[in-house]
Amino acid sequence: MNDWNAHDWVRVGTRSDFLPGEYKVVWDGDTPIAVYNIDGALYAIEDTCTHDGGDLAGGEVFGFEVECPRHGARFDVRTGAVTKPPAYEPIASFPVREEDGAIWTRDDR
């Protein structure tokens, strides 16, 4: 694995597991991470709405925004920034890397 330690990362799958518009949720310890493929680019965010703690995965995606299915808050999957209330606190965004055909992410906070 070249110059990085795969033990510090969570394997998400392979590129073929993510067609554009699809997502997958993985866990890094007790942190749920949703990985999205948007137009071929991969983004990872914490899968917990800061408004009420609900899951974001499964919510509708509008461009680079995912909408919480419970109350409609929206977050930018690139940065975790809130783009529409009722949430006001951002969510964490995480690194994604491809190595030897596999996709990896981690909670790097």
Side-chain angles (χ1 to χ4, degrees):
M1 291 276 165
N2 297 347
D3 63 342
W4 68 287
N5 185 351
H7 297 291
D8 296 335
W9 294 72
V10 176
R11 188 175 191 278
V12 179
T14 63
R15 174 63 74 162
S16 64
D17 294 331
F18 292 92
L19 296 176
E22 293 185 337
Y23 68 90
K24 184 174 182 181
V25 177
V26 296
W27 290 79
D28 187 352
D30 61 355
T31 303
I33 301 175
V35 180
Y36 291 86
N37 178 338
I38 299 179
D39 295 331
L42 299 171
Y43 303 94
I45 56 171
E46 187 168 8
D47 186 32
T48 306
C49 180
T50 56
H51 171 243
D52 71 355
D55 297 344
L56 294 171
E60 197 166 345
V61 176
F62 301 90
F64 291 101
E65 298 177 358
V66 61
E67 183 174 86
C68 179
R70 292 173 56 130
H71 298 112
R74 288 190 189 179
F75 300 88
D76 188 318
V77 298
R78 299 168 295 185
T79 64
V82 175
T83 59
K84 181 181 170 198
Y88 293 98
E89 294 293 319
I91 56 174
S93 62
F94 303 115
V96 177
R97 75 181 287 148
E98 287 188 66
E99 189 75 29
D100 297 329
I103 297 168
W104 304 81
T105 190
R106 68 178 177 165
D107 182 348
D108 63 346
R109 293 178 286 181

